[in-house]
Amino acid sequence: MPHRPRPPRVLLAPGLEASRIVTGLWQVADQERDGRVLDHAAAAAAMADYAEAGFDSFDMADHYGGAEQIFSRFRDADGAGQVFTKWVPTPGAMTREVVREGVGRSIERLGCVPDLMQFHWWSFHHPAWLDALREMAAMRAEGALRHIGVTNFDTDHLRVAVKQGIPVVTNQLSFSLLDRRAAGAMSEFCLAHGVKLLAYGTLGGGFLSERWLGRDEPPEITDWSKMKYRRFIEAMGGWDAFQHLLRAVAEIARKHGVSISNVATRWVLEHPAVGAVILGARLTEAEHRADNLRLFGFALDAEDHARLDQVFATLRPIPGDCGDEYRKPPFLTASGDLSHHLEALPKAFVATEFRPGRSRVDSGSVWEANCGYSRAIRVGDRILVSGTTATHTDGSVVCPGDAAGQAVYILDKIAAAIEALGGTMEDVVQTRIWLRDAQDWEGVGRVHGRVFAEARPANTLVEVARLVGPYLVEIEAEAVVG
């Protein structure tokens, strides 16, 4: 029997090997939209075809329609392969019971423990994400989970997780010719700390293909994937800028005798921090396995990269860091506006009016009552936040020995207090930073700069002889609402 080519494999972590092309099942949710029902038996048979061809690593989530149940059918039919799934809880108290019940639902639907359980969190201003990851790490230590990954984490919060000792092996995020954010600080951090990137969106929802070369901008998009990536195209400069990029990619594709999609995927795969790319599949409807295999038969050369770099220089970079599209405007998602969703999420703190026109927030620390102070207080339009350290809700120190990591957690805590009192970080007009060691100024300053890139408050930064407790940095803030 002649040898059939198969996609190469990659070691994502000790004991976790996968295909370099992971088959993504997010489109199951689209296929089952508006009351439609996908034939799960037929979909499981389609998965078996993928696995037989070497595309035996599958990515899904607890909210991707019936994807986990379809994998269970595939597995029951003696299907072999790796399963990656995601737990996407609503922010709130992440007790032992909540975490184990949430993760357990996926395990029950899959009929097995996933090879990789990935965690997504909507708002880092709510600190319970650390509790969730700590409990998942405890489950892994017990053997109840195999490997832990995260999805759509930015570099700062991935840093906090890793510095907290959470055994994160992957971060799944958007990475493509349209969205190159992951090529910067994120890749640098992952390479330094042994975290592999799982890249999705490499084909821009199908826009990075011959089908759209030279085409007019579509007046209407109905499928969720294209709705999302059309917004990325708008953010990078619009349809004309996209066509400029597509023409350059088409030239490179013709040179190598491959497709535009091959070039787009190859560009992502050649980044050293990328472990695998996730290419979506519409089970029972279409498959592109033969074309996808062609991307391993060529490599981009210096001329190709120079041609692409010329085009990149004419495009607007996607703003912010990885995952920001889910947490702050512009919301580059299928809905295009998550503000209503984020506003409805539970607040980390609750404000209490203690005198007419005056409200305060307590974080629950015993020292607030014993020493007679509030985490933050609002008087009229003015919000004042007490000096804040990287103290978690259980009293532990977050990121011991890492001033920049502590600053990330502190500013999230300050944001939560201000939001509970009706303000935002854009309302901040003054910050004061105390450092134990002046040599930490740049790391802390850069974290401050990313949070306050727009607000640009007045700031004081000084070194002090010591701080109370094992902390490297303390920050206070003042905001004026409106």
Side-chain angles (χ1 to χ4, degrees), residues 371-388:
C371 297
Y373 72 95
S374 301
R375 171 55 38 216
I377 188 167
R378 177 168 178 169
V379 181
D381 291 336
R382 191 178 177 203
I383 299 174
L384 299 100
V385 185
S386 296
T388 304

Side-chain angles (χ1 to χ4, degrees), residues 88-92 120-126 152 323-333 335-348 415-416 419-420 423-424 426:
V88 186
T90 298
H120 175 89
W121 192 252
W122 288 105
S123 173
F124 292 118
H125 296 171
H126 198 301
N152 299 304
D324 281 359
E325 66 270 28
Y326 291 97
R327 300 182 182 95
K328 60 183 70 171
F331 296 108
L332 304 177
T333 60
S335 68
D337 184 4
L338 291 178
S339 58
H340 62 287
H341 169 74
L342 296 176
E343 288 166 1
L345 294 176
K347 298 287 192 291
E419 288 169 359
T424 71
E426 285 69 38

Side-chain angles (χ1 to χ4, degrees), residues 456-467:
R456 300 278 299 277
N459 170 255
T460 301
L461 187 153
V462 295
E463 180 187 51
V464 295
R466 63 170 298 180
L467 294 170

Side-chain angles (χ1 to χ4, degrees), residues 380-401:
D381 291 336
R382 191 178 177 203
I383 299 174
L384 299 100
V385 185
S386 296
T388 304
T389 57
T391 307
H392 194 47
T393 50
D394 61 2
S396 63
V397 179
V398 176
C399 288

Side-chain angles (χ1 to χ4, degrees), residues 217-457:
E217 184 172 9
E220 184 179 7
I221 295 291
T222 57
D223 80 72
W224 284 348
S225 190
K226 285 188 176 61
M227 287 163 62
K228 173 179 179 176
Y229 292 104
R230 184 179 184 178
R231 292 189 169 90
F232 277 85
I233 290 170
E234 291 168 356
M236 61 172 263
W239 194 256
D240 288 343
F242 167 64
Q243 286 295 321
H244 179 42
L245 171 64
L246 206 58
R247 286 192 295 271
V249 179
E251 291 172 9
I252 296 170
R254 284 192 293 271
K255 168 183 166 181
H256 293 283
V258 296
S259 68
I260 288 175
S261 297
N262 290 157
V263 172
T265 306
R266 184 75 203 182
W267 182 84
V268 176
L269 270 175
E270 289 185 1
H271 285 78
V274 173
V277 296
I278 304 173
L279 299 182
R282 294 185 72 86
L283 297 177
T284 73
E285 292 184 13
E287 61 89 7
H288 306 280
R289 295 189 294 268
D291 184 62
N292 290 338
L293 280 174
R294 297 170 68 195
L295 66 93
F296 299 108
F298 76 104
L300 300 178
D301 58 29
E303 180 183 51
D304 301 330
H305 284 287
R307 179 73 181 94
L308 290 172
D309 289 343
Q310 287 177 345
V311 179
F312 295 156
T314 69
L315 307 178
R316 290 199 300 262
I318 300 300
D321 199 352
C322 303
D324 281 359
E325 66 270 28
Y326 291 97
R327 300 182 182 95
K328 60 183 70 171
F331 296 108
L332 304 177
T333 60
S335 68
D337 184 4
L338 291 178
S339 58
H340 62 287
H341 169 74
L342 296 176
E343 288 166 1
L345 294 176
K347 298 287 192 291
F349 303 128
V350 176
T352 302
E353 186 176 37
F354 64 97
R355 283 175 52 186
R358 294 194 179 187
S359 301
R360 68 179 169 218
V361 160
D362 290 330
S363 67
S365 167
V366 296
W367 299 111
E368 290 167 352
N370 290 345
C371 297
Y373 72 95
S374 301
R375 171 55 38 216
I377 188 167
R378 177 168 178 169
V379 181
D381 291 336
R382 191 178 177 203
I383 299 174
L384 299 100
V385 185
S386 296
T388 304
T389 57
T391 307
H392 194 47
T393 50
D394 61 2
S396 63
V397 179
V398 176
C399 288
D402 184 339
Q406 290 185 15
V408 172
Y409 187 88
I410 288 168
L411 291 173
D412 285 340
K413 197 171 180 179
I414 288 173
I418 291 174
E419 288 169 359
L421 289 165
T424 71
M425 292 297 261
E426 285 69 38
D427 296 319
V428 173
V429 296
Q430 171 79 57
T431 56
R432 299 177 184 87
I433 303 174
W434 291 277
L435 295 175
R436 176 173 288 184
D437 186 341
Q439 293 186 28
D440 290 329
W441 76 268
E442 185 172 3
V444 172
R446 290 190 180 279
V447 171
H448 183 278
R450 286 190 285 274
V451 173
F452 293 113
E454 298 297 327
R456 300 278 299 277

Side-chain angles (χ1 to χ4, degrees), residues 38-57:
L38 186 62
D39 184 334
H40 285 194
M47 289 183 73
D49 292 337
Y50 275 86
E52 185 179 358
F55 298 86
D56 57 356
S57 304

